[in-house]
Amino acid sequence: MPEPLPCSPPASVLDLAPVVPVVVVSAVADAVPLARALVAGGLPAIEVTLRTPAALDAIRAIAAEVPQAVVGAGTVITSEQVGACVAAGARFLVSPGWTDALLAAMRGSGVPCLPGVSTASEVVALLERGVREMKFFPAQAAGGTAYLRSLAGPLPQARFCPTGGIGPKTAPEYLSLPNVGCVGGSWMVPQDAVAGGDWARIEELAGGAARLAGVRDAGGTCR
């Protein structure tokens, strides 16, 4: 059989899949089989967080060996990290918050980015700077679906990837909102499954998350 074609990101990271797995990789050897399991389950966008020393090498390995994946870097908080992540092969960048310096570096990187916000003022500030797509973090602690629903009226031009405290039971409520393009979560990559190399379980969980696309489409968010 021919090799699957590499996955090319659309104009928006928010439109790749209903869920972006937020992955913490402790061992580089886990990166490729983990990414393959997620892609096989229907989740091509993978956010590897910069929370471990293995993160950049994990991004590099996925970029080189899993062309069907759209691997990105999360927990990006410095301009130096922006350059290192893109050099490693990251195809999108996600930050928990933003400053003007960090935003300039991310927007100048040549790859899509999702700067983090948790207040209406931060959203307005990004809109002033021409940014319409953002990470809403920490989603549950910052007000959850009720907060995002309240933003949709006065700020309909902003689209979000809520992340933080979201699981399979709460994800559908987020995805039903018109200003939510996708959600970030880690429930499809439980630590015990990664530690035990149970890639079949991760693929199954990813498949369940991918099927949430129907909820997102019913909510009226463009794909």
Side-chain angles (χ1 to χ4, degrees), residues 5 10 33 48 62 96 101 112 131 153 173 178 210 223:
L5 293 174
V48 177
I62 294 170
V131 178
E173 186 177 358
R223 292 191 65 184

Side-chain angles (χ1 to χ4, degrees), residues 16-217:
L16 279 167
V19 181
V20 176
V22 179
V23 177
V24 179
V25 179
S26 298
V28 177
D30 292 334
V32 168
L34 175 58
R36 286 175 175 159
L38 292 170
V39 170
L43 301 180
I46 302 169
E47 177 187 333
V48 177
T49 67
L50 301 184
R51 301 180 190 177
T52 69
L56 284 176
D57 285 335
I59 292 171
R60 191 172 291 110
I62 294 170
E65 300 186 45
V66 193
Q68 301 80 27
V70 179
V71 62
T75 323
V76 178
I77 59 174
T78 70
S79 301
E80 291 75 18
Q81 287 176 332
V82 170
C85 291
V86 174
R91 297 168 70 184
F92 64 92
L93 304 170
V94 184
S95 67
W98 66 278
T99 64
D100 280 320
L102 177 59
L103 182 65
M106 293 174 71
R107 297 183 77 183
S109 68
V111 302
C113 64
L114 294 174
V117 297
S118 61
T119 69
S121 293
E122 291 171 328
V123 175
V124 171
L126 284 180
L127 290 174
E128 282 185 347
R129 290 160 173 78
V131 178
R132 297 181 61 183
E133 298 187 344
M134 313 163 195
K135 172 180 179 174
F136 179 60
F137 177 83
Q140 286 289 90
T145 55
Y147 193 91
L148 284 171
R149 189 178 294 109
S150 70
L151 291 179
L155 302 170
Q157 62 271 56
R159 294 180 73 209
F160 301 97
C161 174
T163 306
I166 300 174
K169 293 183 178 179
T170 55
E173 186 177 358
Y174 280 96
L175 291 167
S176 70
L177 298 176
N179 56 351
V180 170
C182 64
V183 300
S186 57
W187 73 86
M188 73 297 299
V189 284
Q191 291 183 354
D192 61 334
V194 176
D198 192 349
W199 312 123
R201 180 184 171 198
I202 289 174
E203 181 179 341
E204 180 180 1
L205 290 170
R211 286 191 289 274
L212 293 173
V215 177
R216 177 178 66 177
D217 294 343

